[in-house]
Amino acid sequence: MNRIDINAILLATDFSDRSEAAEKYAVTLASQANAALHVVTAIEPIMGIEDGDEDAAEFEEFYAKLIRRAERELEKRLHLWTEMQMIVKHHIQLGHRWRVIVETAEAENVDLLVLGRRHTSSPTVLGTTSQKVFLGSQRPVLFVPEAT
């Protein structure tokens, strides 16, 4: 059997408890494979808000707050990952989650995408973002169920 080299792994996370298991998998795999870890956090835009709307500035402020929160969460982890001598690149972006994940995976030429999968009563049901990433990605995707 041929060996598969994994040089870059994309971790899609919102830094919530639901993403914790996926984060552990991605970090462990990246460390073991000596692969770069691309941490992607997408801030989903609110539907119906367009540039020029009278409330647009308020939403821009809200998005900036969410981006700062993601940066703080990332900063908490970077020290540990640096100690592990991991190469970490982070991508925090406003956009539809599935599209940001798939486009970043392509742009960064990652070998594996790792996403959390929320617990559901049906083993065949994926969340909307997971399903769209699964269908839209040209790269292998690993879904990690949330810890229960």
Side-chain angles (χ1 to χ4, degrees), residues 59-105:
F59 285 100
E60 293 300 321
E61 195 174 306
F62 175 69
Y63 296 143
K65 183 178 181 179
L66 292 176
I67 290 169
R68 286 192 303 273
R69 180 182 296 163
E71 288 170 342
R72 284 192 306 270
E73 288 297 325
L74 179 65
E75 197 63 37
K76 290 178 187 177
R77 292 154 172 83
L78 279 177
H79 179 71
L80 173 64
W81 296 340
T82 303
E83 282 183 353
M84 296 170 68
Q85 299 182 340
M86 293 180 62
I87 298 169
V88 180
K89 296 180 180 181
H90 50 89
H91 311 267
I92 300 172
Q93 184 177 333
L94 179 65
H96 297 292
R97 287 183 190 105
W98 74 271
R99 185 169 284 138
V100 169
I101 294 165
V102 170
E103 288 176 356
T104 303

Side-chain angles (χ1 to χ4, degrees), residues 28-71:
T28 300
L29 289 172
S31 178
Q32 289 175 352
N34 199 26
L37 180 66
H38 293 265
V39 182
V40 175
T41 300
I43 310 295
E44 188 78 31
I46 297 172
M47 304 253 325
I49 303 301
E50 297 179 20
D51 290 338
D53 285 353
E54 64 182 56
D55 296 326
E58 186 177 329
F59 285 100
E60 293 300 321
E61 195 174 306
F62 175 69
Y63 296 143
K65 183 178 181 179
L66 292 176
I67 290 169
R68 286 192 303 273
R69 180 182 296 163
E71 288 170 342

